[in-house]
Amino acid sequence: DPSGRFDVPPPYTARLSAPVGEDREEGWIDGLLALWAEHGPAPWRPEAAEEFARLTGVTLTTARLVVAGLPYVDSHDRGFLPSAVRTGLGLKAADAVVARDELRELDATVRRQVVAALLPADLATLWTDGPDVAAAARVWNEKVGRRVAVPEWIVSEASRAVRTPWEPSRALPALLDPASAPELSGDLRWRVYRDRVSPIEEGTVGFTESTLVSVVAVMAWLAHRLPAGDPVRAVLPAALATVRERLANPDLMLSLGRYVNLPGFRKVAGTPSEVADGWERYGAVIMATHDNQPAPGIRMALLDASGEDPYLPALRALAGEAGAPFPVELALRAARDTRSEAFLADPVRPAAGERAADGTWWPQDPSRSAPELVSEAVAEYGIGADAATLYLILLAMPDPTDRNVARWTGWKPARLKAARAELAATELAVEASRVRAGRSLFLPGAWTDLRTPRLPFEQWKAPLYDLISGESAQLGVVVPIEPAAALHARAWRRVRDGDVPRFEELRIRRGRRR
């Protein structure tokens, strides 16, 4: 209301009232409206968004939404941007959703401060020089934090493929620069509070079970998704070392995230190892006694060298989900496993062939990482090298879609088609059409139909992947945690030992003849 009257209808009363832009000089909004009436909307400047991205480390899509004034970011619709706006800003719909979801998590006051800083002190320069992205970037870096830039396609794809408590869009920059992220660089002091273990300093950011579960899943996904020699993949060994440093914190306790019946656990576990005010300890397991349904925690310093504790099986049985391991358990095993260390390390050179011009290559292609296995398969089944390569990929990889196989091998469509046809003519594989498979060639046998975004795959392969339990992807992602060459060798060894993918025989009990 230009007159400044904002009467509140009864029975409501005003608790706070302030003019828009109160920190600016009087009359600024009249000047802005006059300039807008004279010149029309300020022109869109893509270079301003590029500068904001450079100064803050955010993705270009995030920068474009910020510099545009955060249009529609509070909308929950997937197609939240009108097509004309999306086209004008040069945004892809999927990338815009990822950026919107992250921006919506920011405090509303912070968002207003960043957008307000875009308006230059000399309002006329908004039309001549563009928004003040330097000022907005300073506010962002102070309130949100500057990040290491991550290629946007990685952020977008990870956000769709990996479902973790700590969003991939935030975990990825932290992995590239752990020192800048308190979640990865900060040790916390722990206590038992009410029905669970929790940090002593409430609201303090540091390493927790959410960090562990999230970074293990994201690191494994990155190591599988990126080729050897990729600069982003090259940071993973240092990131794993940081995680292990946090796990060595003698005060660290991690919540297991599921509720367990305390009286039922006591019946199975027997006498506790230690009793204190508000909690009991069984080996490394901490059980709060605030009520009869606590969320158990584990004291990291009391686990054995393998990360196990004799009381954990009893907890699993009582926590539901068919006694499946807790996500924290799986993440802890993966973080400590020597196979993970080898998987995240960069295999610089292939065992056969040369690297691409950019210095990268794909270990998922056994003709590059394990050529001796390809030769064995050729000799065993009398098939060509390409068909043998494809067979080993089908045996070992959780996601051998046609697109991925072409990426890993570098084969042109005609070559891939010929290899598929040769393998399909044998009893080693079957041609079929299955929803969300992304391929037409499968191993014989039962099928595991995981929920989106995880791809379904053959049940025979489930024991190869440590990050799942049964048919449940506890860490939100299905990828290996060991080098591709070792995974190919393990799958091939099962076949040579007689554990061949096959359809189960249907056994029918026949009645007596009359």
Side-chain angles (χ1 to χ4, degrees):
D1 185 347
S3 68
R5 293 180 64 251
F6 295 96
D7 295 333
V8 180
Y12 303 103
T13 57
R15 300 176 63 182
L16 180 67
S17 177
V20 173
E22 58 186 329
D23 294 334
R24 297 181 182 272
E25 62 184 31
E26 187 176 354
W28 73 272
I29 197 165
D30 292 330
L32 179 63
L33 292 174
L35 288 165
W36 181 82
E38 180 181 354
H39 301 292
W44 169 245
R45 298 178 183 271
E47 67 276 11
E50 293 170 5
E51 179 66 3
F52 185 84
R54 186 187 70 81
L55 293 172
T56 60
V58 301
T59 65
L60 186 55
T61 297
T62 298
R64 285 173 174 167
L65 286 175
V66 169
V67 174
L70 302 179
Y72 305 96
V73 294
D74 285 314
S75 169
H76 289 265
D77 295 336
R78 184 164 182 81
F80 71 103
L81 283 176
S83 58
V85 175
R86 191 175 68 248
T87 301
L89 298 180
L91 302 178
K92 295 180 180 178
D95 293 345
V97 169
V98 172
R100 184 275 314 269
D101 289 347
E102 180 184 5
L103 288 165
R104 200 169 55 199
E105 292 298 316
L106 296 180
D107 182 81
T109 300
V110 173
R111 286 189 279 166
R112 285 195 294 269
Q113 289 172 343
V114 172
V115 173
L118 290 167
L119 198 62
D122 182 355
L123 298 176
T125 61
L126 183 62
W127 278 263
T128 58
D129 301 332
D132 191 347
V133 293
R138 284 193 295 272
V139 175
W140 178 280
N141 292 339
E142 177 188 349
K143 303 292 185 180
V144 183
R146 196 186 191 288
R147 305 173 183 176
V148 174
V150 182
E152 182 156 14
W153 74 266
I154 295 179
V155 176
S156 181
E157 194 168 324
S159 297
R160 294 192 299 270
V162 187
R163 301 290 172 83
T164 52
W166 196 26
E167 300 88 347
S169 60
R170 299 183 62 192
L172 283 166
L175 288 172
L176 268 65
D177 184 17
S180 69
E183 292 90 345
L184 271 179
S185 60
D187 289 326
L188 297 173
R189 296 185 302 155
W190 293 77
R191 63 176 177 176
V192 179
Y193 179 68
R194 298 181 67 85
D195 65 349
R196 66 186 60 239
V197 299
S198 64
I200 292 176
E201 298 88 357
E202 292 186 24
T204 303
V205 179
F207 187 84
T208 67
E209 63 277 352
S210 294
T211 311
L212 173 64
V213 169
S214 302
V215 298
V216 166
V218 172
M219 286 193 299
W221 180 84
L222 280 173
H224 182 63
R225 177 60 185 87
L226 300 178
D230 184 276
V232 173
R233 195 186 191 285
V235 308
L236 296 179
L240 177 62
T242 300
V243 171
R244 289 177 171 177
E245 287 177 11
R246 300 287 76 76
L247 293 175
N249 172 16
D251 196 42
L252 179 61
M253 292 195 287
L254 299 175
S255 174
L256 294 177
R258 297 181 198 153
Y259 292 103
V260 170
N261 180 264
L262 180 57
F265 178 76
R266 284 170 172 160
K267 289 181 181 179
V268 177
T271 304
S273 308
E274 182 182 0
V275 177
D277 184 21
W279 55 273
E280 300 170 352
R281 179 175 65 82
Y282 299 81
V285 174
I286 305 295
M287 299 292 287
T289 55
H290 173 74
D291 57 33
N292 285 333
Q293 202 75 8
I298 51 174
R299 183 75 179 261
M300 288 296 303
L302 298 178
L303 293 172
D304 64 24
S306 63
E308 292 289 346
D309 184 271
Y311 291 95
L312 285 174
L315 276 181
R316 297 182 201 123
L318 292 169
E321 299 193 30
F326 296 92
V328 170
E329 286 186 86
L330 292 176
L332 183 58
R333 292 176 197 167
R336 288 181 158 185
D337 199 319
T338 55
R339 295 175 304 154
S340 293
E341 187 173 352
F343 178 48
L344 299 182
D346 193 4
V348 180
R349 293 189 175 278
E354 298 295 328
R355 293 174 292 181
D358 62 357
T360 63
W361 66 285
W362 293 95
Q364 289 91 330
D365 176 1
S367 70
R368 316 292 304 286
S369 60
E372 71 284 356
L373 301 183
V374 176
S375 299
E376 288 184 26
V378 169
E380 179 73 17
Y381 298 117
I383 55 180
D386 284 359
T389 295
L390 181 56
Y391 180 55
L392 289 170
I393 290 175
L394 285 179
L395 283 176
M397 293 299 139
D399 52 351
T401 64
D402 292 344
R403 182 176 182 180
N404 281 343
V405 171
R407 177 189 295 132
W408 298 333
T409 60
W411 294 346
K412 299 297 183 183
R415 185 176 177 182
L416 179 56
K417 182 179 180 180
R420 283 203 308 264
E422 183 180 359
L423 190 58
T426 72
E427 295 183 353
L428 301 174
V430 294
E431 282 191 296
S433 176
R434 290 173 177 170
V435 176
R436 296 193 301 112
R439 53 185 165 119
S440 59
L441 207 58
F442 307 89
L443 299 175
W447 189 242
T448 298
D449 193 8
L450 299 176
R451 293 181 179 179
T452 304
R454 295 168 289 277
L455 293 176
F457 61 90
E458 297 88 342
Q459 282 186 10
W460 184 89
K461 296 192 284 194
L464 298 174
Y465 315 126
D466 297 67
L467 298 188
I468 71 170
S469 177
E471 296 186 13
S472 176
Q474 301 281 52
L475 299 195
V477 64
V478 180
V479 292
I481 65 161
E482 62 185 310
L487 191 64
H488 284 304
R490 189 148 63 100
W492 178 242
R493 192 180 310 118
R494 285 177 61 187
V495 171
R496 297 302 299 268
D497 290 345
D499 183 10
V500 181
R502 60 169 65 90
F503 291 105
E504 296 294 328
E505 292 185 20
L506 180 62
R507 299 183 182 275
I508 302 176
R509 186 176 181 180
R510 300 182 180 277
R512 292 182 179 180
R513 292 184 179 180
R514 294 186 177 180

